[in-house]
Amino acid sequence: MTKENDRDCTPRPALWNSNYLKVWIANFMLFFAFYLLTPLLPLFLRDTFAADKAMIGFVLCGYTLTALAVRPFSGFVVDSFSRKKVLLICYFCFALLFAGYYVTGSLLFFAVVRTMHGAPFGATTVASSTMAIDVLDPARRSEGIGYYGLSNNIAMAIGPSTGLYLYHTVHDFNLLFTLSLVIAFAGLAIDSTIKCRERQPIRKESKVSLDRFILLKGWSEGLCIAAFSFSFGIISTYIAIYSQEVLHITSGSGTFFMLLACGLILSRIVGSKSLREGKIVHNASAGMLLSLCGYLTFSAVPNIYGYYAAALLIGLGNGHMYPAMQTMFINLAPHERRGTANSTILTSWDLGVGLGIIAGGSVAEHLGGYSAAFWLAFAVNAAGVLFYFLHARQSFLRWRLR
């Protein structure tokens, strides 16, 4: 047997090792606890505090903005200290703050608690995604990044649907707060059992540079991600109220999220093979175009058919686009800056979502209702796609390290 045949017969390292599986499940629980409440909080603010559309957007964006503020520092901390310790501390704070929703007796106090909750969420997601990369074999890393995102997507598939079902069944927000609290602490318990190698911290540098907090080579890719998440922030935040007030479907947003997540899951499974083969730019390009078609369908076909078709298209597109873009960020960074690379893409995502929530609420309130807000989502998404094809794609190919 030739040496070439020997290499062909060498077994591939396992993808689903025990530590990767633990990180995957714990991340699923983190996002399930998050998505359980996502479509319900606008209803909670409207029904409990009589908040209007603009006020709902203003209050809810606080969560995203604090997550955005801590992302760059989270990447630096994750690269500088024990990743497991950072992950457990941040996850504990995230889980604990669900208890704060029990005592929000005023709109102001709710806004404070919700805004505080974004900080540990932002830090935990950076630490968790970096931990997932650490416990993967390098030969399976690109593929593993794609499958890791399934934990978010499956949580998106069943979290909003579960929350809406429970709400329409028992009409008790405290039950939902309790469920999120318990699930988050269960995820923390799983993460505490992860076994990982202790790394040497990054070497001390004489001066602090911006590149220690933000991956500067990825600025153009980050701008694209911000544009795409701007659109997603508008859709995901206002879909429940839009379903009730415009389309007159009481439980349609649960099905919308289910179809969205089915598209995400399917495209990640299919796209992981392409990522393994190195077709990063191809996956990103195809995903962006699919998502753009989805946002156009949602805005241009304002009925139940366009509503559900758009969910599937957006899911298929984002499922191809996001893991490819995350792989781009990882490939632009040296190994000791993986935390910074992860925090940069998540910072860009949070920036877009936060701006989308604020802009969507303001446009819906003052400039033509939800239809105008969704057309704004399409326009910003189209601008991001255009910028990617004109500049960001070439920038990645020029600066990639591997």
Side-chain angles (χ1 to χ4, degrees):
M1 186 177 287
T2 65
K3 290 183 179 180
E4 183 177 352
N5 288 334
D6 285 338
R7 285 194 298 270
D8 291 341
C9 295
T10 302
R12 299 180 68 206
L15 172 62
W16 295 95
N17 62 70
S18 61
N19 288 314
Y20 177 69
L21 188 60
K22 289 173 183 177
V23 178
W24 195 99
I25 293 172
N27 192 64
F28 163 78
M29 292 184 168
L30 174 86
F31 277 90
F32 184 84
F34 172 76
Y35 281 119
L36 190 72
L37 301 181
T38 296
L40 294 172
L41 290 180
L43 301 176
F44 176 74
L45 294 176
R46 183 193 65 183
D47 297 344
T48 306
F49 303 114
D52 61 24
K53 300 179 184 71
M55 182 57 67
I56 289 171
F58 178 76
V59 170
L60 294 182
C61 78
Y63 184 98
T64 303
L65 294 179
T66 48
L68 167 67
V70 304
R71 294 284 199 197
F73 303 101
S74 303
F76 174 72
V77 171
V78 164
D79 283 336
S80 302
F81 301 100
S82 166
R83 283 176 181 162
K84 182 176 178 180
K85 290 179 181 177
V86 173
L87 173 60
L88 295 181
I89 292 170
C90 296
Y91 207 140
F92 174 78
C93 295
F94 170 77
L96 186 64
L97 275 169
F98 279 110
Y101 295 123
Y102 292 118
V103 290
T104 53
S106 68
L107 184 61
L108 176 61
F109 192 39
F110 178 91
V112 170
V113 172
R114 184 66 178 169
T115 300
M116 290 174 57
H117 206 173
F121 175 78
T124 304
T125 50
V126 171
S128 182
S129 59
T130 307
M131 178 70 76
I133 294 170
D134 280 352
V135 299
L136 281 165
D137 187 279
R140 308 298 297 270
R141 188 163 289 145
S142 293
E143 186 181 6
I145 289 172
Y147 281 118
Y148 176 76
L150 285 175
S151 59
N152 306 6
N153 303 152
I154 296 173
M156 182 188 292
I158 61 178
S161 303
T162 302
L164 287 163
Y165 172 78
L166 290 174
Y167 170 71
H168 290 300
T169 302
V170 300
H171 298 282
D172 186 355
F173 284 107
N174 282 336
L175 175 64
L176 296 163
F177 298 150
T178 301
L179 188 56
S180 290
L181 177 71
V182 170
I183 290 168
F185 271 109
L188 173 64
I190 292 171
D191 264 343
S192 68
T193 66
I194 295 170
K195 296 178 181 178
C196 58
R197 297 191 308 271
E198 286 295 326
R199 303 170 307 101
Q200 292 296 320
I202 58 176
R203 67 181 185 275
K204 301 296 182 182
E205 299 178 12
S206 57
K207 61 179 181 180
V208 176
S209 63
L210 183 60
D211 201 45
R212 296 177 68 181
F213 302 96
I214 295 291
L215 187 66
L216 296 179
K217 287 182 179 178
W219 74 267
S220 57
E221 291 80 4
L223 194 59
C224 292
I225 285 289
F228 304 147
S229 63
F230 180 97
S231 308
F232 188 78
I234 293 177
I235 293 283
S236 62
T237 301
Y238 300 107
I239 194 71
I241 293 181
Y242 173 76
S243 300
Q244 288 187 4
E245 295 186 359
V246 179
L247 298 182
H248 307 294
I249 339 177
T250 56
S251 59
S253 53
T255 306
F256 181 93
F257 278 106
M258 182 72 75
L259 288 170
L260 177 72
C262 285
L264 285 164
I265 293 167
L266 178 62
S267 60
R268 281 186 185 263
I269 292 172
V270 173
S272 64
K273 182 176 183 294
S274 298
L275 287 177
R276 187 168 67 243
E277 295 169 352
K279 298 178 180 178
I280 301 170
V281 172
H282 170 80
N283 268 27
S285 303
M288 291 172 196
L289 293 174
L290 273 171
S291 291
L292 185 62
C293 291
Y295 288 108
L296 178 60
T297 300
F298 193 93
S299 301
V301 188
N303 58 38
I304 194 168
Y305 302 106
Y307 179 82
Y308 290 131
L312 189 60
L313 285 170
I314 293 170
L316 287 169
N318 281 5
H320 275 297
M321 177 273 296
Y322 191 88
M325 294 293 285
Q326 186 174 16
T327 304
M328 285 184 180
F329 277 88
I330 297 300
N331 288 353
L332 287 168
H335 294 300
E336 67 272 14
R337 300 292 189 204
R338 286 177 190 159
T340 301
N342 274 316
S343 71
T344 302
I345 187 173
L346 292 169
T347 297
S348 302
W349 183 268
D350 287 341
L351 176 63
V353 169
L355 292 174
I357 291 172
I358 296 173
S362 297
V363 168
E365 182 70 22
H366 303 295
L367 297 175
Y370 291 112
S371 176
F374 295 139
W375 275 113
L376 174 65
F378 166 73
V380 173
N381 194 275
V385 172
L386 185 63
F387 180 72
Y388 171 80
F389 281 103
L390 291 179
H391 177 77
R393 182 171 58 172
Q394 290 76 16
S395 175
F396 166 71
L397 294 173
R398 182 185 312 119
W399 294 108
R400 66 188 299 179
L401 299 179
R402 50 190 174 274

